[in-house]
Amino acid sequence: MAELEALFDKKCTCTMCEHSFTTKKIRSRFVKLLHTDTDLCPTYSPPENNPVYYHILVCPACGYSFSDDFSPYFPPGTKEVIQEKVCSNWTPHSFSNKRTIEDVIQTYKLTVYCATLKKEKHVVKAGMYMRLGWLYRSLGNSEQEQRFMKLAIHEYGETYSTQDYQGTQVSEVRILYLLGELSRRTGDIKEAGKSFSRVIEQQSRTTEKNIVEMAKERWREIRESRGS
């Protein structure tokens, strides 16, 4: 009997051109979480069995890149823009095999571009930028990590103010925590403190007690670093 592999093929349909294709996913039994960073970045063993690597779907026929977080709805005119900016310039290429980290970064950048053209929710774009920051961290590229964290902060700020996260799996408390932690990591301690305080204020109203405890820990660290 053949040994079961970590990766398997999942059938997909492109929501842009309706082309059917397969993409790789990782079987859950092969996903081993080692630890999670303070900005919720997961580390897996072995590193290549990282579900983040296969979060993105790239249509090999038209180049439209998306994830399960995307809405199936295309606002008026956006399909035409994507056709012009992405599909008409696409050289048929597949990301449906095992991906290197360079492949993964490329898929996320393609998806952020498509999400922007499609006018996807801010909360979706924020998640893409944050994952790009994580990927560059794993490569030791702090300059690009900081760049994408700042882009994530902007999008998380937009989703918080517009509340377009409602109806998604991302809660207000989680958004506030990530705003705080990403701000802390990019050196904006004042904004970090504000966001952590807002998380702590919601401790009696949220079921995500772990997020509240993490916010308290970060807030203590900020106070200690200030010597107060």
Side-chain angles (χ1 to χ4, degrees):
M1 183 180 291
E3 185 178 351
L4 193 66
E5 295 185 355
L7 295 174
F8 70 96
D9 287 326
K10 179 183 177 182
K11 291 182 179 179
C12 310
T13 300
C14 176
T15 52
M16 176 69 190
C17 73
E18 300 185 357
H19 175 74
S20 295
F21 63 100
T22 62
T23 192
K24 295 292 185 188
K25 292 288 182 182
I26 296 179
R27 289 186 170 90
S28 58
R29 71 180 73 178
F30 289 90
V31 177
K32 182 182 179 184
L33 180 66
L34 289 183
H35 64 85
T36 305
D37 289 348
T38 52
D39 63 350
L40 310 182
C41 173
T43 297
Y44 296 95
S45 176
E48 61 267 22
N49 283 4
N50 184 343
V52 170
Y53 281 24
Y54 299 95
H55 184 66
I56 300 301
L57 312 173
V58 181
C59 176
C62 76
Y64 179 65
S65 305
F66 58 107
S67 76
D68 291 338
D69 303 319
F70 275 42
S71 163
Y73 171 71
F74 285 80
T78 55
K79 274 199 170 186
E80 289 78 6
V81 173
I82 293 168
Q83 175 64 41
E84 177 192 349
K85 302 284 188 181
V86 178
C87 307
S88 64
N89 296 310
W90 179 252
T91 300
H93 179 68
S94 176
F95 286 96
S96 299
N97 298 310
K98 187 173 182 178
R99 296 173 180 174
T100 64
I101 192 163
E102 291 77 18
D103 291 334
V104 178
I105 287 171
Q106 193 176 347
T107 67
Y108 275 92
K109 288 181 176 178
L110 282 167
T111 304
V112 165
Y113 185 49
C114 289
T116 302
L117 296 177
K118 184 179 178 287
K119 301 177 182 176
E120 193 55 70
K121 288 183 175 184
H122 295 291
V123 69
V124 174
K125 289 186 282 185
M128 299 295 168
Y129 284 132
M130 185 170 65
R131 289 181 180 96
L132 274 163
W134 295 347
L135 291 165
Y136 277 112
R137 182 184 308 165
S138 72
L139 291 174
N141 189 331
S142 58
E143 182 181 345
Q144 289 299 315
E145 177 189 349
Q146 290 278 309
R147 175 192 169 206
F148 284 106
M149 280 186 175
K150 288 174 182 176
L151 289 166
I153 289 168
H154 173 75
E155 292 298 336
Y156 277 125
E158 289 295 311
T159 193
Y160 179 66
S161 61
T162 63
Q163 297 190 329
D164 76 357
Y165 60 86
Q166 292 189 351
T168 73
Q169 294 182 328
V170 187
S171 66
E172 179 180 347
V173 165
R174 186 168 293 247
I175 287 165
L176 285 170
Y177 175 79
L178 287 170
L179 274 170
E181 179 56 9
L182 295 176
S183 295
R184 186 182 75 88
R185 284 174 173 260
T186 53
D188 193 342
I189 304 303
K190 184 177 179 182
E191 281 304 312
K194 285 181 184 177
S195 295
F196 291 142
S197 295
R198 286 173 180 158
V199 174
I200 296 165
E201 286 168 6
Q202 295 198 28
Q203 61 185 318
S204 63
R205 304 194 300 276
T206 180
T207 58
E208 294 182 273
K209 304 301 182 186
N210 60 322
I211 297 291
V212 174
E213 289 306 311
M214 290 172 73
K216 288 179 178 178
E217 287 174 24
R218 302 291 83 72
W219 181 233
R220 272 195 298 271
E221 289 167 3
I222 289 173
R223 287 174 63 88
E224 287 169 5
S225 69
R226 288 174 169 172
S228 58

